[in-house]
Amino acid sequence: MSKITQKEFDQMHAQYARIEAYDQWAWALSNVTENAMTVDKDYQFRPNTASFKIGRFLVRSLARILLPVLNKILFDLKIDGKDNIKKVDSAIRVSNHVMPLDTLVNFQLAFGHRHYMTGAEFNLKKGIGGKFFRAGGFLPLASSIKAMSNLDKEISTIFQEGNSIVTFYAEQAIWKQYKNSRPLKKGAFHYASKNDVPVVMTVILFRKPNWIRRMFGFKKDCTVKVCPAIYPKKELSVKENITYLQEATQEAYDRAVCEFYGYDYEKYDMRLTPLENKLVAQGLIDKEETLLTKPNDSALLQKLMPELSQRQIDKKVDFY
């Protein structure tokens, strides 16, 4: 896939959101699936061998030393609500998927726990890269029914061991630097409900770098909002808790996005572009009328420029 700009990513994502195709990939999957391992019924998620255990110890020890420094350099990382994940024993952690290196951020947030991260099986490559991923706690979501049954048992075993965080990207597809929320799929909540562990939503949010970092070419920095843990309800069945956890986590996610980016939660709509949600919040456009049009932020700004120049807009709202 040839390199495309962030504006081109934004345009694709806007088109997908308008038709509610939130799990469509902007990446060329034919490229990322090259050299991928096969995850079948015989795949061992955590091999019980000395070499694997030593590798896991080395990778996790190295991560604890390097990641805080690396995340500070790359993202000027700021964490809001870290105690919300520190004070749980074991949990399913759900994260939005908005940049290729968000694994680095999510790994750091889980320090103090044994951390495992799920993801598409094509991320598991043959050779040293795949071994490094496995040692770091990567649990592939396979297309094989038997392999997924084995994963189900493995996750239950992980939670029985205690003090463990298992991370899911419940939106499924990565949407680079996306500033809206997207619908969360049920899979992660199945594991939380079945194993009677809470869900912790962590939301990666983007802010403008300070002038020094902009001088060095950094275009986006990150703040991570760690939402309070949401526990299964004792009076609900496993199936009912899946729905409850999914809906409660989605609400926490939506509210975190609206609060950080300046959207109006009561008027917020995932089908709008981030810019359109900001303009709706300011009363500059009508939500229902906008949803009938094709998303085109540049044309919309040009159309509204006279009014924007005349009105005193909240300085916290960045329209660009």
Side-chain angles (χ1 to χ4, degrees), residues 23-279:
D23 57 359
Q24 295 298 304
W25 294 78
W27 303 97
L29 291 185
S30 59
N31 291 338
V32 299
T33 55
E34 290 180 0
N35 200 38
M37 289 181 60
T38 300
V39 181
D40 57 20
K41 62 182 180 62
D42 298 319
Y43 179 82
Q44 291 184 304
F45 290 93
R46 296 187 299 166
N48 189 27
T49 62
S51 60
F52 179 79
K53 292 177 181 179
I54 292 171
R56 180 171 59 189
F57 172 78
L58 292 175
V59 168
R60 294 187 175 186
S61 298
L62 191 63
R64 287 178 180 274
I65 296 170
L66 296 180
L67 283 186
V69 176
L70 189 59
N71 285 330
K72 188 66 178 177
I73 293 172
L74 292 177
F75 313 120
D76 190 24
L77 182 64
K78 296 181 180 179
I79 303 171
D80 178 13
K82 190 172 183 179
D83 284 347
N84 288 327
I85 200 168
K86 275 187 173 182
K87 61 189 178 185
V88 300
D89 176 43
S90 292
I92 290 290
R93 191 259 301 278
V94 173
S95 172
N96 58 336
H97 199 8
V98 287
M99 59 183 185
L101 296 179
D102 46 27
T103 299
L104 303 181
V105 173
N106 283 320
F107 204 116
Q108 181 179 334
L109 289 173
F111 283 174
H113 294 79
R114 286 187 289 269
H115 181 228
Y116 302 89
M117 180 164 295
T118 64
E121 62 182 325
F122 59 69
N123 289 303
L124 191 62
K125 306 299 185 183
K126 297 175 183 177
I128 189 66
K131 291 179 180 179
F132 187 87
F133 248 50
R134 293 180 76 183
F138 182 70
L139 303 174
L141 300 171
S143 53
S144 162
I145 295 175
K146 179 58 178 175
M148 285 303 294
S149 176
N150 292 340
L151 176 61
D152 193 287
K153 295 174 184 176
E154 192 70 36
I155 289 177
S156 294
T157 300
I158 286 170
F159 285 134
Q160 289 167 11
E161 294 169 356
N163 193 39
S164 297
I165 298 291
V166 179
T167 295
F168 281 80
Y169 291 113
E171 296 163 325
Q172 184 172 311
I174 180 174
W175 281 18
K176 187 180 176 184
Q177 295 186 15
Y178 196 57
K179 295 183 179 180
N180 275 355
S181 59
R182 286 181 283 155
L184 303 172
K185 295 181 180 296
K186 286 188 176 182
F189 309 103
H190 157 79
Y191 292 105
S193 180
K194 177 185 176 182
N195 294 287
D196 194 28
V197 296
V199 176
V200 177
M201 181 75 208
T202 59
V203 188
I204 298 173
L205 304 153
F206 297 101
R207 65 181 195 277
K208 190 175 183 179
N210 61 38
W211 68 271
I212 296 177
R213 287 178 59 78
R214 291 200 301 274
M215 283 181 59
F216 285 94
F218 292 98
K219 296 180 179 179
K220 295 289 181 184
D221 284 337
C222 293
T223 295
V224 179
K225 170 70 175 179
V226 184
C227 302
I230 302 170
Y231 289 81
K233 292 186 175 181
K234 300 296 183 183
E235 67 272 19
L236 298 181
S237 67
V238 170
K239 185 176 181 180
E240 289 169 334
N241 261 317
I242 291 172
T243 300
Y244 162 68
L245 292 170
Q246 182 184 26
E247 292 176 349
T249 305
Q250 185 73 59
E251 180 182 356
Y253 179 18
D254 294 347
R255 288 188 180 277
V257 166
C258 289
E259 179 181 339
F260 189 85
Y261 291 123
Y263 309 149
D264 183 334
Y265 178 75
E266 299 303 324
K267 297 178 181 179
Y268 173 68
D269 196 305
M270 293 183 193
R271 294 170 294 175
L272 297 173
T273 69
L275 174 66
E276 289 167 346
N277 271 311
K278 292 179 182 181
L279 295 170

